[in-house]
Amino acid sequence: MVGVKRQHDGAEKENEVKASRFMPMFEQFRDELDQHHDRRERIIKASRDITAASKKIIFSLQRVRTLNAEIPEKIAKETRDRAGAMQRQFFAIAPDLEGINAWRYQRQISGGIQEYMEAISFEHYLRTQTLITMEEASKSLPDTIDLTSDDYALGIFDLVGELMRFAITTIATTGALPGSTAEPGGRDVLIDLRSLRTSFQALDTTSCGGTGLGKDVEKKMEVMKTCVEKVETAVYGLIIRGRERPKGWVPDLADDRGAPVESY
Amino acid sequence: MADGMISARIFEDLQTKIDEDADVRDQIKVILQTLERQGRNAQSILSRAHSTPVAHLQPVIASAEGAIKDEVESIGKLAGVASNSPYYKYNNLWTREVQNVVFAVLLCGWLGGMAMPNKPAEPGKLLTIEEVGEILNVPVNLKDRDAFHLTIEEYLQSLITLIEELARLAVNSVTLGDYQRPLQISQFVKDLHAGFQILNLKNDSLRRRSDSIKYNVKKIEDIVYDLSLRNLVPKST
């Protein structure tokens, strides 16, 4: 049998943990912190699932070859199903993100939201050849989930990478750039990419102080520049050498996979 | 150019939001500069407790209470600005200074200051998070509203700083010939340590800092041991 703990003068010591006068206070703190951590875990998990679903949607949409037209039904059905599952995810965690908690867990949900932004803005562009506004994007999310301007903008940054891929794949498989300047006021993907790039260049993020949109802004602009140049090079190749290449020839896109645009 | 793709308002609105956010951050930083200065002042007054015998502590406490009152005023200004935005959007900017104020309040209270209506001041007392909130005139652990408040994490971080400070005070009390206080500190810190042990902390700064509590517990135990070895422990408590 273990001996009894004693004080320095020989008196018995009570079990320290039980006797702590602050225990009720800490028990309350423990419950609060546990709730917070559980919420955080749920949101991290949902963000991961939303990211995965969004990536799959983008992957499906990359099979579209037209611009300014409804998405072909086969692809649309796939994306609808995935989008439906994603909406259920959003609704499931909406209570955890209510009120003061919306910004509390912003960092945890941000990844999922940005990937979601990439997916819906890509889908919107394919159908309408325009950039989805923040209001439109916000509306597609449940009421209690906030779309921050940072997540909106960062999602659009990533959209540029997808547009590049879309442009190059379409050139390779159809021998033409998506969109056309044939009619007055017509635009092709390259023109649209260039507008996106100049719009972002014009944004002054120096006051962000290295956070949010201002973070890594030089690197992001460099990536955007590279995306535009890849499309310009592909168009050049089309014009110079297009006639020599059999239709359906696909260029080696292996080095595109490593584009840092994906890493958010 | 190709203004058909991008509605002009989109990037105008983005720029506006960036600029508005920068404005709010600037306003907050101005207040924090003052609060930081006031914090250093309060700390320097409170640090006199390490070289002042308990019997002569009252003037130090009174002076510290005055310094804390100034800090409370700044906290009020901060709360005013901060409450116009979501709490968790900018709280990283001020949390360190807020923790410093909470620590000053806790230490002053422990030394026997910060008396409140219906709550007499007595040395060795721990102010609860609610009491600290009352003194600072801010809500605590706010959940149903989005406004400036004191969080549990901030209170806990300040408690850890208090423990570190008391460990140092235990050493200096002996130097001042006060052999009673180290015993009081020892029991107090052990009780806090027991409380921290039941928290389920994750891998964050709170967890890392709370790991240091046990070293302070030991440091104080060693002092008590040194005293008892030399028969300096007061018999009645």
Side-chain angles (χ1 to χ4, degrees), chain B residues 142-160:
Chain B
L142 209 51
K143 288 190 279 208
D144 57 0
R145 264 187 311 134
D146 194 345
F148 182 84
H149 63 278
L150 180 65
T151 65
I152 290 174
E153 287 92 337
E154 284 169 333
Y155 179 75
L156 288 171
Q157 290 278 17
S158 308
L159 276 188
I160 297 173

Side-chain angles (χ1 to χ4, degrees), chain A residues 8-9 13 16-17 19-23 25-30 32-34 36-37 99-100 103-104 125 129-135 149 152-153 163 187 191-192 194-196 198-200 202-205 207-209 211 213, chain B residues 1-2 4-6 9-11 13-15 17-19 22 25 86-89 124 126 129 141-143 145-147 149 152-153 155-156 159 187-188 190-192 194-202 204 206 224-225 228 235:
Chain A
H8 300 280
D9 61 354
K13 245 189 214 186
E16 281 165 36
V17 173
S20 168
R21 59 195 126 140
F22 305 125
M23 208 47 84
M25 176 181 91
F26 276 94
E27 277 164 2
Q28 208 203 338
F29 287 162
R30 179 189 53 197
E32 295 271 356
L33 290 179
D34 283 351
H36 158 60
H37 289 305
I100 196 172
W103 271 93
R104 189 175 191 182
Y125 178 80
Q129 204 177 355
T130 59
L131 180 63
I132 195 172
T133 64
M134 201 165 137
E135 290 75 25
S149 51
Y152 170 79
L163 291 186
R187 305 179 325 261
I191 292 176
D192 290 341
R194 284 174 177 152
S195 321
L196 274 174
T198 49
S199 297
F200 272 107
L203 263 187
D204 180 2
T205 61
S207 66
C208 287
T211 63
L213 205 48
Chain B
M1 239 277 232
M5 189 223 179
I6 304 176
R9 268 191 52 245
I10 293 180
F11 280 85
D13 287 351
L14 274 179
Q15 188 66 62
K17 283 210 176 72
I18 289 175
D19 296 338
R25 273 199 299 272
Y87 173 80
Y88 284 100
K89 189 171 179 183
L126 175 69
I129 189 176
N141 191 26
L142 209 51
K143 288 190 279 208
R145 264 187 311 134
D146 194 345
H149 63 278
I152 290 174
E153 287 92 337
Y155 179 75
L156 288 171
L159 276 188
Q187 191 54 54
F188 183 81
K190 281 186 176 144
D191 286 345
L192 281 178
F196 271 93
Q197 285 185 305
I198 67 159
L199 296 177
N200 299 317
L201 297 176
K202 305 292 173 182
D204 54 11
L206 187 55
V224 172
Y225 175 73
S228 76
K235 280 305 163 192

Side-chain angles (χ1 to χ4, degrees), chain B residues 105-122:
Chain B
V105 168
L106 288 176
L107 180 57
C108 191
W110 195 92
L111 292 172
M114 315 280 11
M116 292 185 287
N118 301 330
K119 287 168 195 155
E122 49 168 333

